[in-house]
Amino acid sequence: MQPKKTTAWKSIRNIFDQIHLYAGLISGLVVIAVCLSGTIYVYNTEIREFMDSELYFVEESGTRLSADELKSEVEKSSESKVVGLMWNEDTDRSVQFTLKKEGEEGRGNTFYVNPYTAEILGNSSDKTATTEFMGYMFSLHRWLLLDRVEEPILESMGNRDLGRFINGVATLLFLLGVITGIVIWVPNKVKSWKQGLKVKWSGNWKRINHDLHNTLAFYSLIVLFIMAATGPFWSYTWYREGWQKTWDTYQEPAPRGENAEKPKSEPTAEVIEAVESIPAVLSLEDIFAKTNAELPYEGNIRVSLPSNPSDPISVSKYKTGFFARSGSDQLKLSAADLSVVEANLFSDLPWRQQVGRSVKSLHVGDIFGQFSKFLWFVACLIATSLPITGTLIWWNKRKKKPSKKKPAQSRVAEMA
């Protein structure tokens, strides 16, 4: 009796099986570390607010002070200048002011302020057990903790770059595993798709493990693909530029050296006159009122005050709510009369640019508020388990004992 001919699909599927297997085995340990830390980091904001609640929540006591009153009190008590703030209307929430001392470099420190008493509750530079823990989770997720190793591991690159490179390789292998998994699963389960979408809990542990790997991966397939496809954005320049060009968000880097932009010339008489006409004190309440008039929906407002009085005020507004999308609407307001100098509304962007500019939200899962965060949390938890269940499937197949049945010719010879 002649053996059945191997079909072309079986040969192709075998190739994809091998790619899927070795992509998973090679990247397994890194994927577990990255996905486990990612599972925790999905709820980074919520964990910080819960553990360090004294910074984010206040007791309602009387009437909230206005933003201008708070700004004045905070600047007086900290001997610093407010350069930005994050404002929300929730009655039980603190507000955040960013302050810089004169001559200080960088973006400044963010202070959490009680809106009823103007008391400073703490600032972003304070080290707590929660910030330390979440810092380790971020480091593990992004650089595999190699940035915390003091001695250089390789002479050719820094430890942070090495961690970023290894992370990128593992993420690309995981993405390859997701794609090959689709090719393997769909044609094989199309006829018995109902069985492929459930776990046979009555089976032995090997069958349960096999079903968990296939079924859970299928249910989280779309989210796993998005997470894996966006991950290398922070690992490789070529991938980041490729993403930006694909989604039409790429901008040429600023020229350096001889071709760099020349220093700005001295201000003209017209500019000096315009600056002199700017009010000495900018009213934050007027900025909020103008922002809400231009963007009439509920949301949090972030304001960045210019260091140069002639520059416009930058304002961003973020929608809030369970299904709130992540993209912010941005305004530039004239410091003289708060007229709109420039408006960049997220909804006005072409669909491609909306996707391109949402790479971080797509990766961390807050693209549609708490709704998508929960989906990403579950999917990331599943992703953490896939290298484990996949390795067990491979190990169980290796341990299969060879068949004890003798070939037909041997049995005929023995009978003779």
Side-chain angles (χ1 to χ4, degrees), residues 10-50:
K10 286 185 178 180
S11 299
I12 295 173
R13 184 171 185 262
N14 184 59
I15 294 173
F16 279 98
D17 276 334
Q18 295 301 310
I19 296 174
H20 186 79
L21 169 64
Y22 287 106
L25 291 177
I26 294 171
S27 64
L29 290 177
V30 177
V31 168
I32 291 172
V34 170
C35 290
L36 179 60
S37 56
T39 303
I40 298 171
Y41 211 80
V42 165
Y43 285 110
N44 170 51
T45 301
E46 289 77 7
I47 292 172
R48 290 174 183 268
E49 290 183 354
F50 178 78

Short mmCIF file of all heavy atoms in Angstrom, two decimals, residues 10-50:
data_model
loop_
_atom_site.label_atom_id
_atom_site.label_comp_id
_atom_site.label_asym_id
_atom_site.label_seq_id
_atom_site.Cartn_x
_atom_site.Cartn_y
_atom_site.Cartn_z
N LYS A 10 -0.13 20.95 3.17
CA LYS A 10 0.55 20.37 4.32
C LYS A 10 2.01 20.77 4.37
O LYS A 10 2.58 21.01 5.43
CB LYS A 10 0.40 18.85 4.29
CG LYS A 10 -1.00 18.36 4.66
CD LYS A 10 -1.05 16.85 4.74
CE LYS A 10 -2.44 16.36 5.17
NZ LYS A 10 -2.51 14.89 5.25
N SER A 11 2.62 20.86 3.20
CA SER A 11 4.03 21.28 3.14
C SER A 11 4.17 22.73 3.58
O SER A 11 5.07 23.08 4.35
CB SER A 11 4.57 21.11 1.72
OG SER A 11 4.50 19.75 1.33
N ILE A 12 3.25 23.58 3.08
CA ILE A 12 3.29 25.00 3.45
C ILE A 12 3.02 25.17 4.94
O ILE A 12 3.69 25.92 5.63
CB ILE A 12 2.26 25.79 2.62
CG1 ILE A 12 2.64 25.76 1.14
CG2 ILE A 12 2.15 27.23 3.12
CD1 ILE A 12 1.62 26.36 0.22
N ARG A 13 2.02 24.42 5.43
CA ARG A 13 1.66 24.52 6.84
C ARG A 13 2.82 24.06 7.72
O ARG A 13 3.06 24.62 8.80
CB ARG A 13 0.42 23.69 7.14
CG ARG A 13 -0.06 23.84 8.57
CD ARG A 13 -1.42 23.20 8.78
NE ARG A 13 -1.89 23.48 10.15
CZ ARG A 13 -1.77 22.65 11.16
NH1 ARG A 13 -1.22 21.47 10.98
NH2 ARG A 13 -2.21 22.97 12.37
N ASN A 14 3.53 23.05 7.29
CA ASN A 14 4.68 22.58 8.07
C ASN A 14 5.74 23.67 8.19
O ASN A 14 6.35 23.83 9.25
CB ASN A 14 5.28 21.34 7.40
CG ASN A 14 6.42 20.76 8.22
OD1 ASN A 14 6.26 20.38 9.37
ND2 ASN A 14 7.60 20.69 7.59
N ILE A 15 5.93 24.42 7.10
CA ILE A 15 6.91 25.53 7.14
C ILE A 15 6.46 26.58 8.15
O ILE A 15 7.25 27.05 8.97
CB ILE A 15 7.06 26.16 5.73
CG1 ILE A 15 7.70 25.14 4.77
CG2 ILE A 15 7.90 27.43 5.81
CD1 ILE A 15 7.75 25.61 3.34
N PHE A 16 5.18 26.94 8.08
CA PHE A 16 4.66 27.94 9.01
C PHE A 16 4.68 27.42 10.45
O PHE A 16 4.89 28.18 11.39
CB PHE A 16 3.24 28.35 8.61
CG PHE A 16 3.21 29.37 7.51
CD1 PHE A 16 3.01 28.99 6.19
CD2 PHE A 16 3.39 30.71 7.79
CE1 PHE A 16 2.97 29.93 5.18
CE2 PHE A 16 3.36 31.66 6.79
CZ PHE A 16 3.15 31.27 5.48
N ASP A 17 4.47 26.12 10.62
CA ASP A 17 4.56 25.52 11.96
C ASP A 17 5.95 25.71 12.55
O ASP A 17 6.10 26.05 13.73
CB ASP A 17 4.24 24.02 11.89
CG ASP A 17 2.74 23.75 11.95
OD1 ASP A 17 2.02 24.58 12.51
OD2 ASP A 17 2.31 22.70 11.42
N GLN A 18 6.97 25.48 11.71
CA GLN A 18 8.35 25.60 12.18
C GLN A 18 8.70 27.06 12.50
O GLN A 18 9.35 27.34 13.52
CB GLN A 18 9.31 25.06 11.11
CG GLN A 18 9.17 23.56 10.85
CD GLN A 18 9.43 22.74 12.11
OE1 GLN A 18 10.44 22.93 12.79
NE2 GLN A 18 8.51 21.83 12.42
N ILE A 19 8.24 27.98 11.64
CA ILE A 19 8.49 29.41 11.91
C ILE A 19 7.80 29.82 13.20
O ILE A 19 8.39 30.51 14.05
CB ILE A 19 7.99 30.27 10.73
CG1 ILE A 19 8.79 29.96 9.45
CG2 ILE A 19 8.08 31.75 11.07
CD1 ILE A 19 8.26 30.66 8.22
N HIS A 20 6.57 29.40 13.37
CA HIS A 20 5.79 29.73 14.56
C HIS A 20 6.46 29.17 15.81
O HIS A 20 6.58 29.86 16.84
CB HIS A 20 4.38 29.15 14.42
CG HIS A 20 3.44 29.55 15.51
ND1 HIS A 20 2.80 30.77 15.55
CD2 HIS A 20 3.03 28.88 16.63
CE1 HIS A 20 2.04 30.84 16.62
NE2 HIS A 20 2.16 29.71 17.30
N LEU A 21 6.94 27.93 15.71
CA LEU A 21 7.58 27.27 16.85
C LEU A 21 8.84 27.99 17.27
O LEU A 21 9.00 28.36 18.45
CB LEU A 21 7.89 25.82 16.49
CG LEU A 21 8.79 25.06 17.46
CD1 LEU A 21 8.12 24.93 18.82
CD2 LEU A 21 9.15 23.69 16.89
N TYR A 22 9.76 28.20 16.33
CA TYR A 22 11.07 28.75 16.70
C TYR A 22 11.00 30.24 17.02
O TYR A 22 11.80 30.74 17.82
CB TYR A 22 12.09 28.45 15.61
CG TYR A 22 12.47 26.99 15.60
CD1 TYR A 22 12.01 26.12 14.61
CD2 TYR A 22 13.28 26.46 16.61
CE1 TYR A 22 12.33 24.77 14.62
CE2 TYR A 22 13.62 25.11 16.63
CZ TYR A 22 13.14 24.27 15.63
OH TYR A 22 13.46 22.94 15.65
N ALA A 23 10.07 30.96 16.41
CA ALA A 23 9.87 32.36 16.79
C ALA A 23 9.44 32.45 18.24
O ALA A 23 9.90 33.32 19.00
CB ALA A 23 8.83 33.02 15.88
N GLY A 24 8.58 31.51 18.65
CA GLY A 24 8.12 31.49 20.03
C GLY A 24 9.19 31.04 21.00
O GLY A 24 9.34 31.62 22.09
N LEU A 25 9.94 30.00 20.64
CA LEU A 25 10.98 29.49 21.53
C LEU A 25 12.11 30.51 21.74
O LEU A 25 12.61 30.67 22.86
CB LEU A 25 11.55 28.19 20.97
CG LEU A 25 10.63 26.96 20.99
CD1 LEU A 25 11.32 25.77 20.32
CD2 LEU A 25 10.21 26.60 22.42
N ILE A 26 12.49 31.19 20.67
CA ILE A 26 13.61 32.14 20.76
C ILE A 26 13.21 33.37 21.59
O ILE A 26 13.99 33.86 22.41
CB ILE A 26 14.07 32.58 19.35
CG1 ILE A 26 14.67 31.37 18.61
CG2 ILE A 26 15.08 33.71 19.43
CD1 ILE A 26 14.94 31.64 17.14
N SER A 27 12.01 33.85 21.38
CA SER A 27 11.59 35.10 22.03
C SER A 27 10.85 34.88 23.35
O SER A 27 10.49 35.85 24.03
CB SER A 27 10.69 35.90 21.09
OG SER A 27 9.48 35.20 20.83
N GLY A 28 10.61 33.63 23.71
CA GLY A 28 9.71 33.30 24.81
C GLY A 28 9.97 34.04 26.11
O GLY A 28 9.09 34.69 26.67
N LEU A 29 11.20 33.94 26.65
CA LEU A 29 11.49 34.54 27.95
C LEU A 29 11.34 36.07 27.92
O LEU A 29 10.81 36.66 28.87
CB LEU A 29 12.90 34.16 28.39
CG LEU A 29 13.11 32.69 28.78
CD1 LEU A 29 14.57 32.44 29.14
CD2 LEU A 29 12.21 32.31 29.96
N VAL A 30 11.80 36.68 26.84
CA VAL A 30 11.68 38.13 26.72
C VAL A 30 10.22 38.54 26.61
O VAL A 30 9.78 39.51 27.23
CB VAL A 30 12.48 38.65 25.51
CG1 VAL A 30 12.29 40.16 25.34
CG2 VAL A 30 13.96 38.32 25.67
N VAL A 31 9.45 37.79 25.83
CA VAL A 31 8.03 38.10 25.66
C VAL A 31 7.30 38.01 26.99
O VAL A 31 6.44 38.85 27.31
CB VAL A 31 7.39 37.16 24.61
CG1 VAL A 31 5.86 37.27 24.64
CG2 VAL A 31 7.90 37.50 23.22
N ILE A 32 7.62 36.99 27.79
CA ILE A 32 6.98 36.86 29.11
C ILE A 32 7.27 38.09 29.96
O ILE A 32 6.37 38.66 30.59
CB ILE A 32 7.47 35.59 29.82
CG1 ILE A 32 6.94 34.34 29.10
CG2 ILE A 32 7.02 35.57 31.28
CD1 ILE A 32 7.53 33.04 29.63
N ALA A 33 8.54 38.52 30.00
CA ALA A 33 8.91 39.69 30.80
C ALA A 33 8.24 40.96 30.29
O ALA A 33 7.70 41.75 31.08
CB ALA A 33 10.43 39.86 30.79
N VAL A 34 8.27 41.16 28.98
CA VAL A 34 7.70 42.37 28.39
C VAL A 34 6.18 42.41 28.56
O VAL A 34 5.60 43.44 28.91
CB VAL A 34 8.09 42.48 26.90
CG1 VAL A 34 7.31 43.60 26.21
CG2 VAL A 34 9.59 42.72 26.76
N CYS A 35 5.53 41.28 28.31
CA CYS A 35 4.06 41.25 28.40
C CYS A 35 3.56 41.30 29.83
O CYS A 35 2.52 41.92 30.11
CB CYS A 35 3.52 40.01 27.68
SG CYS A 35 3.69 40.07 25.89
N LEU A 36 4.28 40.66 30.75
CA LEU A 36 3.87 40.72 32.15
C LEU A 36 3.96 42.15 32.68
O LEU A 36 3.03 42.65 33.32
CB LEU A 36 4.74 39.80 33.00
CG LEU A 36 4.43 39.79 34.51
CD1 LEU A 36 2.99 39.34 34.76
CD2 LEU A 36 5.40 38.88 35.25
N SER A 37 5.07 42.83 32.39
CA SER A 37 5.20 44.23 32.81
C SER A 37 4.21 45.11 32.07
O SER A 37 3.67 46.07 32.64
CB SER A 37 6.63 44.73 32.58
OG SER A 37 7.01 44.56 31.21
N GLY A 38 3.92 44.78 30.81
CA GLY A 38 2.93 45.54 30.05
C GLY A 38 1.54 45.37 30.61
O GLY A 38 0.74 46.31 30.62
N THR A 39 1.22 44.16 31.07
CA THR A 39 -0.09 43.91 31.69
C THR A 39 -0.30 44.82 32.88
O THR A 39 -1.38 45.40 33.07
CB THR A 39 -0.19 42.44 32.14
OG1 THR A 39 0.04 41.58 31.02
CG2 THR A 39 -1.56 42.14 32.72
N ILE A 40 0.74 44.97 33.69
CA ILE A 40 0.65 45.85 34.87
C ILE A 40 0.60 47.31 34.44
O ILE A 40 -0.19 48.11 34.97
CB ILE A 40 1.84 45.60 35.80
CG1 ILE A 40 1.81 44.16 36.32
CG2 ILE A 40 1.86 46.59 36.97
CD1 ILE A 40 3.06 43.74 37.07
N TYR A 41 1.40 47.67 33.43
CA TYR A 41 1.54 49.08 33.05
C TYR A 41 0.32 49.61 32.31
O TYR A 41 0.17 50.83 32.18
CB TYR A 41 2.79 49.27 32.20
CG TYR A 41 3.41 50.63 32.38
CD1 TYR A 41 4.21 50.89 33.50
CD2 TYR A 41 3.17 51.66 31.49
CE1 TYR A 41 4.77 52.15 33.69
CE2 TYR A 41 3.73 52.92 31.68
CZ TYR A 41 4.52 53.16 32.78
OH TYR A 41 5.05 54.40 32.98
N VAL A 42 -0.54 48.73 31.82
CA VAL A 42 -1.79 49.19 31.20
C VAL A 42 -2.54 50.10 32.16
O VAL A 42 -3.12 51.12 31.77
CB VAL A 42 -2.67 47.99 30.78
CG1 VAL A 42 -4.10 48.45 30.48
CG2 VAL A 42 -2.09 47.31 29.55
N TYR A 43 -2.53 49.73 33.45
CA TYR A 43 -3.23 50.51 34.47
C TYR A 43 -2.26 51.33 35.30
O TYR A 43 -2.44 51.50 36.51
CB TYR A 43 -4.05 49.57 35.35
CG TYR A 43 -5.30 49.08 34.67
CD1 TYR A 43 -5.42 47.75 34.28
CD2 TYR A 43 -6.36 49.94 34.40
CE1 TYR A 43 -6.57 47.30 33.64
CE2 TYR A 43 -7.50 49.50 33.75
CZ TYR A 43 -7.61 48.18 33.39
OH TYR A 43 -8.74 47.74 32.76
N ASN A 44 -1.24 51.86 34.65
CA ASN A 44 -0.24 52.68 35.32
C ASN A 44 -0.87 53.85 36.08
O ASN A 44 -0.61 54.06 37.27
CB ASN A 44 0.76 53.21 34.29
CG ASN A 44 1.68 54.27 34.85
OD1 ASN A 44 2.30 54.08 35.90
ND2 ASN A 44 1.75 55.40 34.17
N THR A 45 -1.73 54.61 35.38
CA THR A 45 -2.36 55.78 36.01
C THR A 45 -3.24 55.38 37.19
O THR A 45 -3.17 55.98 38.27
CB THR A 45 -3.21 56.54 34.98
OG1 THR A 45 -2.37 56.95 33.89
CG2 THR A 45 -3.85 57.77 35.61
N GLU A 46 -4.04 54.34 36.98
CA GLU A 46 -4.95 53.90 38.03
C GLU A 46 -4.20 53.37 39.25
O GLU A 46 -4.60 53.62 40.40
CB GLU A 46 -5.90 52.83 37.49
CG GLU A 46 -6.94 53.33 36.51
CD GLU A 46 -6.37 53.59 35.13
OE1 GLU A 46 -5.20 53.26 34.87
OE2 GLU A 46 -7.11 54.14 34.29
N ILE A 47 -3.10 52.65 39.03
CA ILE A 47 -2.31 52.12 40.15
C ILE A 47 -1.69 53.26 40.94
O ILE A 47 -1.71 53.27 42.18
CB ILE A 47 -1.22 51.16 39.62
CG1 ILE A 47 -1.85 49.89 39.06
CG2 ILE A 47 -0.22 50.82 40.74
CD1 ILE A 47 -0.88 48.97 38.36
N ARG A 48 -1.14 54.25 40.24
CA ARG A 48 -0.54 55.40 40.93
C ARG A 48 -1.59 56.16 41.73
O ARG A 48 -1.33 56.58 42.87
CB ARG A 48 0.12 56.33 39.91
CG ARG A 48 1.40 55.76 39.27
CD ARG A 48 1.89 56.69 38.18
NE ARG A 48 3.06 56.16 37.49
CZ ARG A 48 4.32 56.42 37.83
NH1 ARG A 48 4.57 57.20 38.86
NH2 ARG A 48 5.32 55.90 37.15
N GLU A 49 -2.75 56.36 41.15
CA GLU A 49 -3.80 57.12 41.84
C GLU A 49 -4.34 56.35 43.04
O GLU A 49 -4.69 56.96 44.06
CB GLU A 49 -4.94 57.44 40.87
CG GLU A 49 -4.55 58.47 39.81
CD GLU A 49 -5.71 58.83 38.91
OE1 GLU A 49 -6.79 58.20 39.03
OE2 GLU A 49 -5.56 59.74 38.07
N PHE A 50 -4.41 55.04 42.95
CA PHE A 50 -4.91 54.25 44.06
C PHE A 50 -3.89 54.19 45.20
O PHE A 50 -4.24 54.37 46.38
CB PHE A 50 -5.24 52.84 43.58
CG PHE A 50 -5.73 51.92 44.67
CD1 PHE A 50 -7.03 52.01 45.14
CD2 PHE A 50 -4.88 50.97 45.24
CE1 PHE A 50 -7.49 51.17 46.15
CE2 PHE A 50 -5.32 50.13 46.25
CZ PHE A 50 -6.64 50.23 46.70
#
